[in-house]
Amino acid sequence: MTTPANPNYLQPTGFLLSIEKLPGINFFAQTVNLPAMTGGVAYQGTPNIDAPLIGDKILFSDLEVTFLVDENLSNYEALFTWMQSVYHTESLDQYAAFHESEANRLIGSYNPQNHSVMYSDGFLSILTNNSNPNKTFAFTDLFPVQVSPLQFSTTVTDINYLQCKAVFKYTGFSF
């Protein structure tokens, strides 16, 4: 039996999350999942059974992030504004205004053909037991698809700070 080069265990608290469109989420992130992978399967029909074969795609699950909401709701508001603008819930003018403001922020001039302003890249860094970055996972073209409700209550006896869960889809995921 050989001894591993690094006998330390991976700690669940050792991570840093960075999403370009949500800079306020970095400090407040409580949980994040490293998405699951599922290999596609093709079936070859035979007279007796459908034989499973290796498919041609890998499917990744959603990126789910839970974060504490700051007192000014800044991180929640940034996510709310991004999601509302992506799905232009109020009007098409809202969609165009978001495109223009994001394009000006990102590239200095508005280009209506540049739909990439609706997406954001993100990075999940896994830390060593000394809190140094060890591995980084990159998510390309993230966009929000779900935001959990914030539950306010006057009946709680202990203060549990409000958390929000956000679910993201993405086009790419790399190690």
Side-chain angles (χ1 to χ4, degrees):
M1 182 160 114
T2 61
T3 304
N6 183 353
N8 297 314
Y9 301 118
L10 184 61
Q11 299 179 21
T13 57
F15 71 92
L16 291 173
L17 177 68
S18 172
I19 298 175
E20 291 174 2
K21 281 198 186 320
L22 300 173
I25 209 170
N26 302 359
F27 179 77
F28 295 100
Q30 298 293 294
T31 65
V32 62
N33 69 312
L34 191 56
M37 297 185 307
T38 304
V41 178
Y43 292 93
Q44 180 178 1
T46 67
N48 297 325
I49 64 166
D50 289 337
L53 302 172
I54 296 173
D56 62 349
K57 295 178 184 165
I58 294 178
L59 303 173
F60 295 102
S61 66
D62 298 338
L63 177 66
E64 298 177 3
V65 178
T66 303
F67 61 95
L68 290 171
V69 179
D70 66 280
E71 187 174 49
N72 291 331
L73 284 94
S74 300
N75 51 14
Y76 181 83
E77 184 179 14
L79 182 58
F80 178 88
T81 301
W82 182 16
M83 189 159 185
Q84 196 171 43
S85 299
V86 165
Y87 298 101
H88 48 85
T89 57
E90 293 177 8
S91 70
L92 291 176
D93 292 336
Q94 179 187 31
Y95 179 79
F98 182 78
H99 264 276
E100 185 172 355
S101 69
E102 282 296 291
N104 285 333
R105 184 179 71 80
L106 294 172
I107 59 176
S109 62
Y110 177 58
N111 177 358
Q113 303 303 316
N114 185 3
H115 296 289
S116 66
V117 296
M118 303 309 285
Y119 301 94
S120 181
D121 290 338
F123 302 93
L124 176 62
S125 294
I126 307 301
L127 306 179
T128 66
N129 61 359
N130 292 324
S131 297
N132 296 318
N134 188 21
K135 304 286 182 185
T136 300
F137 297 89
F139 297 89
T140 307
D141 295 338
L142 284 166
F143 61 98
V145 294
Q146 183 181 7
V147 177
S148 70
L150 296 179
Q151 183 72 39
F152 293 91
S153 174
T154 59
T155 63
V156 296
T157 55
D158 291 331
I159 300 296
N160 293 317
Y161 297 104
L162 291 181
Q163 294 184 359
C164 181
K165 181 179 178 181
V167 178
F168 299 90
K169 297 282 188 189
Y170 48 91
T171 60
F173 170 55
S174 61
F175 205 120

